[in-house]
C-alpha cells in the first residue's frame, strides 16, 4: 500500500495504523502531531486509526527554541 507522507510517496505493508507508522519511523515518544487528509488525529486514536491507500499523512514535530 502507498500513502503520501509529508509530501512524498511512502510504501507500507498492508494494514498499518498510525502508531505502527510512527514506530517504523522511530518517532514514538516524541512531541508531534499527526494529520491524515488534513484532519488532526488525536494521540489516543493512533492505535485504532488504520491508514488507507492514498492517505495524505502529515507529521509535524514540535521544536523548542527561543
Amino acid at each position: 500500500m502507498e500513502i503520501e507522507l509529508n509530501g512524498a510517496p511512502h510504501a507500507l505493508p498492508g494494514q498499518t495504523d498510525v502508531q505502527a507508522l510512527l514506530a517504523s519511523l522511530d518517532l514514538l515518544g516524541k512531541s508531534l502531531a499527526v494529520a491524515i487528509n488534513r484532519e488532526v488525529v488525536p494521540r489516543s486514536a493512533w492505535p485504532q486509526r488504520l491508514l488507507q491507500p492514498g492517505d495524505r499523512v502529515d507529521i509535524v514535530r514540535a521544536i523548542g527554541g527561543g
Side-chain angles (χ1 to χ4, degrees), residues 31-47:
S31 296
L32 49 86
V34 177
I36 300 175
N37 303 321
R38 299 189 182 264
E39 181 180 324
V40 174
V41 178
R43 186 177 295 265
S44 61
W46 290 356

Side-chain angles (χ1 to χ4, degrees), residues 16-20 41-50:
T16 302
D17 59 51
V18 173
Q19 187 164 312
V41 178
R43 186 177 295 265
S44 61
W46 290 356
Q48 295 84 28
R49 177 56 166 88
L50 293 176

